[in-house]
Amino acid sequence: MRTNYEVVVIGGGIIGCSIAYYLAEAQMDVAVFDGGQIGNKTTKAAAGMLGAHSESDGDFSLFFPFARSSQAEYIRLKDELYELSGMDIGYRTGGILKLAFSERDKSNLDPLVKQPTVDWLDYETVKKMQPEISDTVIGAAYIADDVNVIPTSTCLAFAKSAQMLGASIFENCPVYDIKKNGNEYTVKTDNGEVRAKHIVLATGVYSNSLFQNLGISEKLKPVKGESIIVHHDKPFLEHTLFYEKSYIVPRNNGKVVIGATMIEDDWSDSISLQSVEVLLKHAKTMLPSSINWKIDSFTSGLRPTTFDGHPFIGRHPEDEQIFIACGHFRNGILLAPATGKMIRNLILKQEVNKEWIDAFRINRQEKVMI
Ligand SMILES: Cc1cc2nc3c(=O)[nH]c(=O)nc-3n(C[C@H](O)[C@H](O)[C@H](O)COP(=O)(O)OP(=O)(O)OC[C@H]3O[C@@H](n4cnc5c(N)ncnc54)[C@H](O)[C@@H]3O)c2cc1C
């Protein structure tokens, strides 16, 4: 193992791998260290929706333009990553149908439907688009741009592409300490020490001990999500179905994700029968015939959550050479490209949207809602 890099990225989930990719593309000398295998923690459990609209919860101020820029970046990335890595990220068009079953559901969708990129579809149109949807639906907001990808494939494609551009990737190599020595850092890993000019923390929900190590008092909390993966024997589901916080996501690999629970402060990765029952109930509400699908597997993961639900992306408050990119909650797959570009630009001292710097800095005020 070499012992000196310009940038060490700690954490090889989708966020760390995207950052490594953008840095390697800018010809920076970068190494990624992951305590386990690349993409094998929260990233592995994600459904993979690029839900810029559907996750905005009626607030189209700061999160939305950041998320839209990331979503747009994927259009270019899907080909670029394939060319470099030979890996298909499973980019699937078809968009999201956000369903309404009552007038109240419909009025809750009003702010979304006001967006020029969203259409309101009545019952007949929805049934024509997807005939198996429940007869009790009254309409849906249709978001063609909220496409989806396969998270593990995307993460591995970022990692492999970064390697092709010169980055080093180390798996099963946890980092347990970071020390400053003059103008650089010594990073202590299970495989020995390495030195770096810049450090990026992309450790997802597992960031708290390194935060403490670096004098950061913020803490991340988990919101566990459990999902059922089923086989899509006769592919008939064209669009992601979404109702409240539940969804059915058809993937490009012949599987469908039925997700996901939201369990706060649970650090375990167990999956309960009660959760499976809830997921099935929600799936049946949207698509009664889903009960006939065959189970492939169950997954769970811990969404990394900050005090206000938005990520920490930016510089350490007191150290110019340490960068944080953690806490992407429900949207790490969506936000990976925008996060990677933002961290690259901060390291290279290139222009970054000031509103995004303020909105995502780790020492923002609790009361600032974005
Ligand atoms: C059920 C579910 C559904 C989801 N659906 C979506 C979705 O549809 N769309 C979307 O955009 N997002 C979705 N998400 C959210 C998304 O999965 C996360 O926001 C994203 O995966 C976070 O990525 P990350 O790289 O920050 O974290 P992780 O994937 O957890 O990666 C962090 C990495 O850091 C490593 N690490 C930690 N500590 C150390 C250390 N000390 N040394 C070395 N390595 C270390 C870990 O091994 C891990 O690999 C979903 C999440 C869940 C749970």
Side-chain angles (χ1 to χ4, degrees):
M1 182 165 82
R2 271 175 49 205
T3 55
N4 212 332
Y5 296 92
E6 269 179 298
V7 186
V8 160
V9 177
I10 307 171
I14 191 130
I15 299 299
C17 291
S18 167
I19 293 167
Y21 171 71
Y22 283 100
L23 287 171
E25 195 189 37
Q27 286 162 13
M28 296 288 279
D29 178 29
V30 56
V32 178
F33 289 85
D34 196 279
Q37 288 179 313
I38 294 297
N40 210 30
K41 289 291 192 186
T42 308
T43 295
K44 191 180 167 189
M49 287 171 287
L50 307 184
H53 301 78
S54 67
E55 290 289 325
S56 283
D57 280 336
D59 176 4
F60 296 95
S61 52
L62 274 166
F63 168 85
F64 186 60
F66 187 64
R68 282 287 274 167
S69 77
S70 209
Q71 196 182 49
E73 184 76 1
Y74 267 110
I75 297 169
R76 182 182 68 83
L77 275 173
K78 66 180 187 322
D79 301 325
E80 197 171 288
L81 296 180
Y82 184 73
E83 271 165 37
L84 279 163
S85 68
M87 299 177 82
D88 180 358
I89 68 169
Y91 187 92
R92 184 184 171 101
T93 54
I96 293 181
L97 283 166
K98 268 200 145 178
L99 306 180
F101 290 91
S102 64
E103 286 304 323
R104 189 159 168 216
D105 290 342
K106 186 178 172 191
S107 65
N108 287 341
L109 292 172
D110 274 351
L112 182 61
V113 173
K114 285 201 182 106
Q115 293 301 310
T117 36
V118 180
D119 294 313
W120 171 255
L121 308 181
D122 60 16
Y123 171 84
E124 282 76 24
T125 316
V126 173
K127 288 292 276 186
K128 214 176 276 169
M129 272 175 87
Q130 200 64 71
E132 298 82 5
I133 284 179
S134 166
D135 291 340
T136 55
V137 83
I138 64 163
Y142 178 52
I143 316 156
D145 289 353
D146 283 7
V147 298
N148 67 283
V149 296
I150 301 179
T152 311
S153 309
T154 308
C155 184
L156 292 172
F158 272 129
K160 178 84 180 157
S161 300
Q163 272 181 315
M164 297 304 287
L165 295 168
S168 304
I169 309 271
F170 299 98
E171 295 188 302
N172 303 310
C173 198
V175 169
Y176 56 87
D177 197 16
I178 303 162
K179 285 267 178 293
K180 190 158 190 175
N181 287 321
N183 209 23
E184 62 178 19
Y185 299 88
T186 302
V187 177
K188 297 190 179 178
T189 82
D190 265 6
N191 292 9
E193 294 185 0
V194 290
R195 282 174 292 133
K197 212 166 149 196
H198 305 280
I199 302 290
V200 182
L201 232 68
T203 34
V205 75
Y206 312 96
S207 301
N208 293 342
S209 63
L210 287 177
F211 272 14
Q212 203 179 358
N213 184 211
L214 295 170
I216 296 169
S217 59
E218 292 299 341
K219 291 221 176 343
L220 295 178
K221 287 186 176 176
V223 176
K224 182 163 89 174
E226 301 144 291
S227 306
I228 310 171
I229 315 294
V230 299
H231 294 288
H232 203 204
D233 292 338
K234 278 186 289 170
F236 68 84
L237 190 60
E238 291 293 324
H239 315 279
T240 291
L241 308 184
F242 204 117
Y243 180 58
E244 294 179 338
K245 293 284 182 201
S246 300
Y247 45 75
I248 306 179
V249 183
R251 282 182 169 168
N252 259 2
N253 60 2
K255 294 182 183 167
V256 177
V257 184
I258 297 177
T261 55
M262 295 276 287
I263 304 175
E264 289 183 21
D265 263 333
D266 184 347
W267 285 95
S268 79
D269 59 4
S270 60
I271 298 162
S272 76
L273 287 177
Q274 192 184 4
S275 296
V276 171
E277 187 182 28
V278 169
L279 291 171
L280 289 178
K281 185 172 160 245
H282 291 170
K284 263 169 50 185
T285 303
M286 293 186 270
L287 194 76
S289 63
S290 59
I291 200 72
N292 298 318
W293 281 335
K294 306 282 181 290
I295 293 172
D296 175 86
S297 52
F298 298 93
T299 62
S300 76
L302 308 181
R303 300 178 186 88
T305 312
T306 63
F307 63 87
D308 62 3
H310 292 289
F312 295 141
I313 310 170
R315 284 203 172 81
H316 185 294
E318 281 142 31
D319 195 324
E320 289 273 292
Q321 288 156 255
I322 294 183
F323 298 82
I324 317 289
C326 309
H328 289 69
F329 190 33
R330 291 172 60 90
N331 293 301
I333 313 304
L334 165 66
L335 299 179
T339 304
K341 280 177 92 171
M342 185 163 160
I343 294 289
R344 176 200 63 191
N345 289 355
L346 288 170
I347 291 177
L348 293 176
K349 298 194 180 341
Q350 289 175 352
E351 198 181 339
V352 178
N353 182 323
K354 282 204 169 41
E355 288 187 327
W356 295 350
I357 293 181
D358 278 347
F360 302 130
R361 70 191 161 87
I362 194 162
N363 57 343
R364 60 184 177 256
Q365 297 296 307
E366 291 217 11
K367 61 180 184 300
V368 175
M369 294 304 291
I370 61 169

